[in-house]
Amino acid sequence: MIAKKTCRVAGHLFSFSLDEGSEAWGSLGNYSPFFVDVTPGDEIFDLEVVEDLDIKEKKDLYISHPAAGEQRIDIYTIDGGYLFEMAPLPDVPVCGWMKVSEDFSRGSLKTVKNEVFCINNALMLLFAFRTAGMETIEIHASCTVKDGKGFLFLGKSGTGKSTHSRLWKKNVPGAWLLNDDNPVIRLVDGVPRVYGTPWSGKTPCYINDDYPVGAVVRINQAPHNEIHKMSVVEGFASLYSSSSGLRALKPIADGLFETVSTVVQKVPSYVMDCLPDDEAALVCSKEVLAHAEDC
């Protein structure tokens, strides 16, 4: 028998279903804080885990070239939609295939192993692509909350986003972690708010809560601790590059552009050159907290 669950993330409803006897359910607790009991029909997308997929001719749309240790996700066009192929590492065989409709409202996922990895990635991708035109952006960032505001730390993998959040928690009284890898920003009545999600990377932090965005900070490794405010144009480039979405598709690219443009005009953006030490958190928090009330 198939079991179906519905979640609400950043105000958006979505559903996924798989065999009720699947062992994967025991490893999908990250969705529990987001489960809701609602009348079916209002979901923005639905994902079904299936035993087989009918895949015919496919054409390259986006072929990833991940670095060592990073996951691989390739995207193809097929008749009536798209095909995603995923693997946890660049040099291992594909373990999941997701066939989705052209508008990303329906998805079917087949896995041969690593089922939980595939389900998490499938749902995260569908959410990012489906909501791109809904004033919503999924961000590769670590998000810390302080004084009722969310502060997002951006940067390439390995630059120290998570470390900087931990340093805030250690050195800034009242600071705590909302999400450590994929928070979501959504415009609500024109106000950027950041939401916790079921996707938090290697840190188990799955909090169903949201706050106004206080600042967006790009973390750079450096031999010193120094923070600078960015211009709106610089802030746009920084946030846009960290947002998730298939830019090869114009509707998604346009949606991301509009939302990021609004966010950076309402929220200050900074670049933080820093060491992974206590002083970095103190320098950063002193600057951004002083101006967060202006948001």
Side-chain angles (χ1 to χ4, degrees):
M1 183 176 293
I2 299 299
K4 184 175 184 177
K5 293 289 187 179
T6 300
C7 298
R8 179 180 282 112
V9 175
H12 299 294
L13 293 173
F14 64 85
S15 296
F16 65 96
S17 55
L18 62 153
D19 191 290
E20 66 178 4
S22 171
E23 294 182 357
W25 284 115
S27 300
L28 293 172
N30 47 313
Y31 295 91
S32 295
F34 303 89
F35 286 155
V36 292
D37 186 12
V38 297
T39 301
D42 293 329
E43 300 92 337
I44 61 170
F45 72 82
D46 179 76
L47 175 71
E48 181 182 6
V49 179
V50 298
E51 292 185 359
D52 198 13
L53 282 179
D54 181 19
I55 302 171
K56 297 179 181 179
E57 184 179 355
K58 64 181 183 180
K59 297 180 180 179
D60 293 357
L61 178 62
Y62 171 79
I63 304 302
S64 62
H65 300 283
E70 295 183 354
Q71 64 189 27
R72 174 164 59 96
I73 298 175
D74 298 329
I75 308 174
Y76 306 87
T77 58
I78 57 174
D79 185 31
Y82 305 94
L83 174 69
F84 292 72
E85 295 184 351
M86 56 193 78
L89 294 169
D91 55 351
V92 302
V94 170
C95 61
W97 297 260
M98 179 172 65
K99 185 178 179 180
V100 303
S101 60
E102 191 172 9
D103 63 355
F104 299 99
S105 65
R106 300 181 309 280
S108 299
L109 174 68
K110 173 190 174 182
T111 68
V112 292
K113 56 182 179 179
N114 296 319
E115 187 174 25
V116 173
F117 162 81
C118 294
I119 292 171
N120 276 318
N121 275 277
L123 290 171
M124 188 166 58
L125 289 164
L126 280 173
F127 185 92
F129 297 172
R130 179 66 170 154
T131 63
M134 302 177 182
E135 298 188 318
T136 303
I137 47 176
E138 190 178 295
I139 304 295
H140 182 46
S142 183
C143 182
T144 293
V145 175
K146 166 66 178 171
D147 294 340
K149 295 286 182 74
F151 299 90
L152 290 102
F153 305 124
L154 317 180
K156 295 180 180 179
S157 296
T159 56
K161 301 182 296 295
S162 297
T163 296
H164 197 74
S165 278
R166 288 195 294 270
L167 290 169
W168 268 57
K169 184 177 179 180
K170 175 184 175 183
N171 294 282
V172 182
W176 55 276
L177 186 67
L178 176 65
N179 186 274
D180 204 32
D181 196 51
N182 284 280
V184 165
I185 296 176
R186 184 177 183 183
L187 297 175
V188 181
D189 296 327
V191 177
R193 298 186 67 87
V194 60
Y195 294 75
T197 73
W199 313 294
S200 189
K202 298 177 181 178
T203 304
C205 185
Y206 314 114
I207 299 174
N208 188 0
D209 210 346
D210 62 281
Y211 298 87
V213 179
V216 178
V217 183
R218 179 157 292 275
I219 302 297
N220 288 333
Q221 293 180 346
H224 56 268
N225 293 313
E226 189 172 8
I227 188 168
H228 300 284
K229 190 172 183 179
M230 293 183 183
S231 68
V232 171
V233 173
E234 291 170 329
F236 175 89
S238 176
L239 185 58
Y240 189 78
S241 66
S242 292
S243 59
S244 299
L246 187 55
R247 292 160 178 78
L249 300 180
K250 189 176 186 300
I252 291 180
D254 289 348
L256 294 176
F257 183 94
E258 293 297 329
T259 303
V260 171
S261 295
T262 301
V263 171
V264 298
Q265 292 179 66
K266 293 177 176 288
V267 174
S269 301
Y270 300 87
V271 58
M272 178 74 199
D273 297 323
C274 61
L275 293 159
D277 61 11
D278 294 345
E279 183 191 44
L282 298 174
V283 169
C284 182
S285 61
K286 180 180 178 180
E287 175 66 19
V288 301
L289 292 175
H291 298 96
E293 292 302 318
D294 299 333
C295 301

